[in-house]
Amino acid sequence: MSSATRVLVLNSGSSSVKYQLLDMRDEARLAAGLVERIGEQTSRLKHSPLARGGESREWSGPIADHDAALKAVATELAKDGLGLDSPELVAIGHRVVHGGKHFTAPTVIDERVLAEIERLIPVAPLHNPANLTGIRTARHLRPDLPQVAVFDTAFHTTMPEAAARYAIDVRTADEHRVRRYGFHGTSHAYVSRATAKLLGKAPEEVNVIVLHLGNGASASAVERGRCVDTSMGLTPLEGLVMGTRSGDVDPAVIFHLARVGGMSIDEIDTLLNKKSGLIGLCGDNDMREIRRRIDEGDQEAKLAFDIYIHRLKKYIGAYYAVLGTVDAVAFTAGVGENAAPVRAAAVAGLGALGLAVDDELNAVLGDEPRLISPAHAPVAVAVVPTDEELEIATQTYALVGKGN
């Protein structure tokens, strides 16, 4: 059995690569970084050697493609004695946004897996192509190393058909793979388990509503460790009000904008995905700026906030009904972890459901999981920082690390 315990986590976007190197013996982060603006003359690489007390380094200049980007990452890691050729590197874990209904767990990547990820591009046109590019580049650089795909959708494949199906013609839906897949699955998986641990229980002993609130936002109902419903659907557009996405709308809005507004399908796509949500309502998608404007009496910002909270409350109530009993509501991601006013407003008036926050606890800032509900509250309200990179590394190492 090999003593190799390091996992490199890659999150490849269309013009960026985020990465972390972790040692799974103690889950220590050895390095992290970001390459952005790939394909431009103004590409930038920021690298932080986390475990050796070194200072962060930045480099700017042209990086032509993902192959060049990963080679640049390898060079920076090598400077810290952490290169891709290290015998201590056991695997590379890749975030893949869309795995359809068949990839229900982390999967060692081979040609069949690559072909299926490519086949799913029509339902994830913005994400899967970039994920594929990163995978192919990494396989080229280290063809001898196991590469593992960890899918955003996998955690949600436990949803019953009653939650996963849309009420449209079954044959049409099946032919075009139209169903609710859900996203942010690695975050929901990590946070639901971490919430159970915070309560001193096993995941199989608790029901949790997870609220992943960032620029993208989603909710999930997790029953005894298994997802039974989630707010995002065929794409990440459905559900909560987000930074630039509308979330739920009447589908007839699309027909109306096409017929009456003369808008093309691409224009409507851009409107709902990039020019809606908070930015469409008030011109800002940063919750800190929206709260600042509200404090100054800005009514447009206040309405945007109220719409955001109204939708959030609806999903809390809906998932309470789906689960029947709830042990905890967990807030996570950038807004969920840092915006105390959002947390307070989301549960305000829900005392009949056992939900409340303690104002002093809610105001505390911190990087550790913590309860913000009053002592002896019927339902715990928690802030649980998400850690998708650790979740990907954990799933990757569990699959290939210990047996190598």
Side-chain angles (χ1 to χ4, degrees), residues 13 47 84 148 168 199 203 205 257 266 333 336 355:
H47 175 83
L84 293 188
V148 175
I168 66 172
L199 299 179
E205 298 176 310
L257 292 175
D266 287 344
L355 291 168

Side-chain angles (χ1 to χ4, degrees), residues 49-397:
L50 302 176
R52 297 173 183 256
E55 294 185 0
S56 296
R57 305 187 292 269
E58 286 196 30
W59 179 90
S60 297
I63 296 178
D65 51 29
H66 282 70
D67 183 67
L70 281 186
K71 287 178 179 176
V73 169
T75 297
E76 292 303 316
L77 289 169
K79 291 178 182 177
D80 302 315
L82 304 169
L84 293 188
D85 58 351
S86 169
E88 295 184 63
L89 187 62
V90 68
I92 298 177
H94 296 267
R95 179 194 181 217
V96 179
V97 168
H98 214 310
K101 63 183 289 189
H102 299 297
F103 289 118
T104 62
T107 305
V108 175
I109 297 167
D110 56 20
E111 293 303 320
R112 179 192 64 83
V113 173
L114 282 173
E116 182 62 19
I117 294 172
E118 189 164 16
R119 203 159 70 94
L120 287 162
I121 286 175
V123 289
L126 299 179
H127 299 96
N128 275 29
N131 301 155
L132 279 168
T133 299
I135 290 169
R136 287 174 172 142
T137 299
R139 291 182 86 206
H140 175 71
L141 292 177
R142 281 298 305 268
D144 59 311
L145 204 63
Q147 314 259 340
V148 175
V150 178
F151 298 93
D152 270 11
T153 49
F155 184 63
H156 304 304
T157 57
T158 56
M159 284 192 296
E161 286 293 278
R165 285 275 186 182
Y166 290 109
I168 66 172
D169 175 70
V170 172
R171 290 183 181 179
T172 301
D174 288 347
E175 180 181 355
H176 299 290
R177 301 185 179 196
V178 176
R179 62 186 288 116
R180 303 185 64 252
Y181 295 102
F183 300 89
H184 295 148
T186 51
S187 177
H188 286 281
Y190 177 86
V191 171
S192 60
R193 286 203 314 274
T195 303
K197 184 178 179 181
L198 183 63
L199 299 179
K201 297 183 178 181
E204 297 77 19
E205 298 176 310
V206 297
N207 291 351
V208 183
I209 297 173
V210 178
L211 304 172
H212 177 109
L213 308 179
N215 193 49
S218 60
S220 67
V222 183
E223 182 179 57
R224 301 183 183 278
R226 292 166 57 88
C227 177
V228 294
D229 207 347
T230 193
S231 58
M232 287 179 168
L234 173 71
T235 76
L237 180 59
E238 187 180 357
L240 302 176
V241 176
M242 304 176 222
T244 66
R245 299 182 191 130
S246 65
D248 294 337
V249 294
D250 180 348
V253 168
I254 297 168
F255 314 141
H256 178 80
L257 292 175
R259 292 168 180 157
V260 178
M263 296 177 68
S264 69
I265 291 297
D266 287 344
E267 288 173 331
I268 298 171
D269 190 327
T270 298
L271 170 70
L272 296 180
N273 277 290
K274 297 181 180 180
K275 297 182 179 180
S276 295
L278 292 172
I279 205 164
L281 290 167
C282 71
D284 271 310
N285 63 331
D286 187 320
M287 187 58 72
R288 293 165 296 189
E289 181 64 16
I290 291 171
R291 290 302 310 177
R292 184 193 66 76
R293 288 171 56 185
I294 291 172
D295 290 342
E296 294 179 352
D298 189 315
Q299 292 304 305
E300 190 177 61
K302 184 180 185 304
L303 178 59
F305 182 82
D306 290 346
I307 293 170
Y308 181 96
I309 295 298
H310 182 78
R311 185 81 54 83
L312 191 54
K313 278 191 174 184
K314 285 175 67 175
Y315 270 91
I316 293 171
Y319 287 169
Y320 208 115
V322 167
L323 291 169
T325 60
V326 175
D327 297 285
V329 174
F331 290 87
T332 193
V335 175
E337 294 170 27
N338 297 297
V342 168
R343 299 190 297 259
V347 302
L350 300 183
L353 300 180
L355 291 168
V357 299
D358 179 287
D359 290 339
E360 289 187 11
L361 294 176
N362 190 34
V364 173
L365 298 175
D367 297 326
E368 297 298 320
R370 59 196 185 276
L371 294 177
I372 59 171
S373 44
H376 311 300
V379 179
V381 180
V383 179
V384 181
T386 191
D387 198 332
E388 294 174 269
E389 289 78 14
L390 176 58
E391 180 69 17
I392 292 170
T394 299
Q395 292 190 26
T396 297
Y397 188 66

